[in-house]
Amino acid sequence: MSRTTWILGNWKQNHRNEAAVECAKGIAEGLEAATANPAQGCPQLRVGVAPTYLALNATAPFARSHSELWLLAQDVAAQESGAFTGEVGVAMLRDAGVEAAIVGHSERRAYYGDTNGLVADKVANALEHGLTVVLCVGESLSARDAGEHESTVISQLSESLARVDSKAIDERLVIAYEPVWAIGTGRTATPEQARDMHRAIRAHLAETYGDTGRDRSILYGGSVKPGNAAELIAAGDIDGFLVGGASLQADSFLAIVTAAAQTARPS
Ligand code: PGA
């Protein structure tokens, strides 16, 4: 099967309404040209941005008028509604035009106490209520230096998916491998490091969930830029990117989309 390639921009705590609108507009307007000359065999491409909750309503019209631009939330509540101060549930996000949520980003795990258990609740609830989930996993530098990167990531993955069964694992589950040491540091995993981890993740998903698990799109994140996107895609087994810093400007984000569209996948 040909897995969807996803190029997703995570704007984090950046872009107030005016800047968010400008960036979303630039991306929406440039998308057709950026994907115009795909490499032979390039899988379906899906492009999306994740503004802050408050900028979702302002940016939604650009996603709506360009159906190929997806709107994502940077997080989602573990419950649907109720006395949960500060949280935003799936139905509220869907009202704003959101189709997918990033869950378990390493910054949430490190600064806001998102444990694997909480992430598992968020993933299960979001999938159950019809949202696509981009589940983030990734090891720290100390885990990599100790040679424990694979075991760390696989246990994050299995604990974060503990509350979903193989029926819930369909195309609405996307995995993003983001080594913590590569996020916002300018230091990228080598294409081989990324590919090897993606293979380990895929093997685990196949073992746990069969063919549906094996066929999930697995994205790489961590200092992806226009200059390194093509070599990462060319390594194989990398089904797109979750992009932070380089997604804040329409031009650099679109250059990454173009690189992903125009790079041939190894057979
Ligand atoms: P970065 O962030 O591209 O700025 O490294 C990636 C992410 O946190 O998703």
Side-chain angles (χ1 to χ4, degrees):
M1 99 160 236
S2 162
R3 298 183 300 264
T4 302
T5 295
W6 298 76
I7 311 294
L8 303 175
N10 174 11
W11 291 349
K12 309 190 179 183
Q13 195 184 333
N14 295 295
H15 281 347
R16 291 165 61 191
N17 274 356
E18 200 180 319
V21 163
E22 193 191 329
C23 192
K25 186 165 182 279
I27 293 168
E29 288 174 356
L31 210 47
E32 206 178 312
T35 54
N37 296 304
Q40 212 183 359
C42 173
Q44 184 196 6
L45 270 177
R46 204 163 274 166
V47 177
V49 290
T52 65
Y53 283 142
L54 274 182
L56 286 172
N57 281 318
T59 43
F62 300 98
R64 262 184 228 122
S65 60
H66 292 76
S67 54
E68 59 277 37
L69 181 63
W70 275 44
L71 199 58
L72 285 85
Q74 297 177 16
D75 195 13
V76 60
Q79 310 80 9
E80 259 316 89
S81 62
F84 303 105
T85 302
E87 292 297 281
V88 179
V90 173
M92 295 161 183
L93 293 175
R94 289 173 66 110
D95 281 349
V98 166
E99 292 165 283
I102 298 168
V103 180
H105 189 280
S106 64
E107 286 150 16
R108 300 245 24 118
R109 292 175 184 268
Y111 308 142
Y112 304 104
D114 282 22
T115 58
N116 285 326
L118 179 56
V119 170
D121 287 341
K122 291 180 176 183
V123 170
N125 185 60
L127 288 176
E128 189 188 327
H129 290 90
L131 214 58
T132 291
V133 167
V134 181
L135 169 64
C136 301
V137 290
E139 82 284 3
S140 63
L141 187 56
S142 57
R144 176 149 294 260
D145 286 345
E148 289 163 2
H149 43 290
E150 258 184 46
S151 56
T152 303
V153 166
I154 298 305
S155 67
Q156 268 179 355
L157 193 64
S158 61
E159 288 178 40
S160 301
L161 291 173
R163 309 220 206 307
V164 293
D165 58 18
S166 50
K167 276 207 294 291
I169 303 282
D170 60 12
E171 63 166 16
R172 285 181 303 111
L173 177 71
V174 176
I175 308 294
Y177 166 56
E178 300 202 298
V180 175
W181 47 272
I183 295 179
T185 58
R187 192 175 156 191
T188 324
T190 64
E192 293 72 28
Q193 285 173 324
R195 183 200 55 208
D196 289 351
M197 184 63 85
H198 285 215
R199 286 190 176 156
I201 291 171
R202 194 172 304 292
H204 172 80
L205 291 174
E207 199 180 300
T208 316
Y209 301 106
D211 288 352
T212 333
R214 193 201 57 227
D215 292 340
R216 295 308 86 233
S217 292
I218 305 175
L219 320 185
Y220 169 77
S223 298
V224 175
K225 298 180 208 60
N228 58 23
E231 60 173 4
L232 284 158
I233 290 278
D237 245 307
I238 296 176
D239 306 313
F241 304 117
L242 182 55
V243 186
S247 73
L248 292 171
Q249 305 294 332
D251 286 358
S252 55
F253 187 61
L254 287 168
I256 293 171
V257 174
T258 304
Q262 293 183 351
T263 304
R265 276 66 177 162
S267 47

